[in-house]
Amino acid sequence: MKITCQRDSLLTACQLVKAAVAARTTKPVLSNIKASAQDDTLTLVAYDMEVGIRYELPGIVVARAGSCILPITELEKILRESGDPDISLDAGSEAILVKTTGGRFEMPSLDVNEFPDIPSFDDGGHYHEITAGTLRTMIRRTAFSADKKDTSGRFSLTGVLWEAEEKGAHLVATDTKRLAVCHGPASVYGVKDGVKTLHLVPLKAIALRERNRAGDQELIRIGLRANAALFQTERAMIYPSLVQGKFPPYREIISKTQKDSTQKISLPVDSFLSRVRQAAIMTDDESMRVDMTFDAGAVTMKARGAKTGASEVTLELPEYDGPKTEIAFDPSYLVEFLRSLDGEPTVLLEVSTGLRPALFTCGDQYSYLVMPLTG
């Protein structure tokens, strides 16, 4: 394989696929990426046996078609440090030669046949399409609630629930202390009326999909299999194995919270976020807590740390006329949620007492349930 391509384009492609390179593996070849050149396109593949990605980079000059294994760590350093607009790669059976204007870098290669294949996109007639902009919003509003460190002891919560039905798609994530649900319009094919398909997509694949910078109107095609999923964009295909396990009955949890709520409070997103962050300044590792008192016309937030001191801030709520309600939250759970609400002027808080879950909603599209702190 012998090619010439733009350095910055290849660097961007390598940085994207690198997320699926195996960090620890008994197969040395998986610590690298596979590159294939044909016509005017370079295809890069990374696969850690849990998540795979195939990315196509068009517009390259192919002097000799073929495939090779590229050492991703060294290649990325070369691309990052070089200031050349173009670079050339010449891969033989035993070595890879990278040339820049003032440099020559020779790296060992591995047998390309040792690299496992990842499947091409095959939806089997069951798939759905959603715009990249809509999917990006759904991911931004849910993924942060997943159990990133498996602290709940329930492996299924390390994934994001992907639910498709005839009218659209839902993304759901929870770590048992909070629960985020976002709905988005999608064109669904091959799903019978009234039938839902449920799949747990690993958080790593969700993050990789988010990093693949497609235009807002580009259609993303999603194929859901029994044990894997396929995400197809114009340039990339992501192939994750699904997380196994049962997911909490989120619809029943949200429905019960709405049924039990006694107050509905409209909150201005930007101002509420600002006050939460201000109050949280005086929290510390031992007291990550902001106490809120909602009363006629305002909400008062207080925090205190053993060594940091105390804070008290107030946000006027002219439309709220009571009753008085007291509730406490981990401020980080509110800040992450509120930051995801780009473009939303207000959010509705549904609450009963300081002992029961609180529910924040933005119309029918987005719900965020958070457990209060007690004691």
Side-chain angles (χ1 to χ4, degrees), residues 264-267 337 346-350 359-363:
K264 294 185 178 181
I265 309 168
S266 181
L267 301 169
F337 153 67
T346 61
V347 62
L348 184 67
L349 169 60
E350 300 183 46
L359 181 65
F360 295 86
T361 58
C362 290

Side-chain angles (χ1 to χ4, degrees), residues 189-201:
Y189 305 93
V191 177
K192 296 180 180 180
D193 293 350
V195 176
K196 303 181 182 68
T197 59
L198 309 177
H199 297 75
L200 286 171
V201 180

Side-chain angles (χ1 to χ4, degrees), residues 69-124:
I69 301 299
L70 295 174
I72 182 64
T73 301
E74 290 75 20
L75 179 59
E76 184 182 11
K77 289 178 181 178
I78 294 169
L79 296 172
R80 191 168 53 243
E81 296 299 332
S82 172
D84 290 359
D86 300 308
I87 69 158
S88 66
L89 283 81
D90 189 350
S93 58
E94 297 181 356
I96 301 163
L97 180 63
V98 179
K99 289 184 179 180
T100 63
T101 299
R104 172 188 173 94
F105 307 87
E106 188 172 319
M107 300 176 289
S109 185
L110 297 172
D111 184 359
V112 71
N113 294 318
E114 293 182 4
F115 201 95
D117 290 331
I118 63 174
S120 300
F121 189 88
D122 179 12
D123 53 58

Side-chain angles (χ1 to χ4, degrees), residues 41-155:
T41 300
L42 179 67
T43 302
L44 303 179
V45 179
Y47 189 30
D48 64 3
M49 303 307 290
E50 293 183 2
V51 177
I53 181 171
R54 180 187 293 112
Y55 185 84
E56 294 183 352
L57 180 63
I60 68 169
V61 177
V62 179
R64 184 174 69 248
S67 300
C68 69
I69 301 299
L70 295 174
I72 182 64
T73 301
E74 290 75 20
L75 179 59
E76 184 182 11
K77 289 178 181 178
I78 294 169
L79 296 172
R80 191 168 53 243
E81 296 299 332
S82 172
D84 290 359
D86 300 308
I87 69 158
S88 66
L89 283 81
D90 189 350
S93 58
E94 297 181 356
I96 301 163
L97 180 63
V98 179
K99 289 184 179 180
T100 63
T101 299
R104 172 188 173 94
F105 307 87
E106 188 172 319
M107 300 176 289
S109 185
L110 297 172
D111 184 359
V112 71
N113 294 318
E114 293 182 4
F115 201 95
D117 290 331
I118 63 174
S120 300
F121 189 88
D122 179 12
D123 53 58
H126 301 275
Y127 68 96
H128 53 287
E129 292 179 333
I130 187 169
T131 64
T134 297
L135 182 54
R136 189 172 294 120
T137 296
M138 295 172 68
I139 291 173
R140 188 173 65 248
R141 293 185 174 185
T142 54
F144 67 86
S145 292
D147 190 353
K148 303 174 186 64
K149 299 180 180 180
D150 195 17
T151 56
S152 67
R154 299 171 62 181
F155 186 63

Side-chain angles (χ1 to χ4, degrees), residues 27 91 180 316:
K27 289 186 174 183
E316 293 185 358

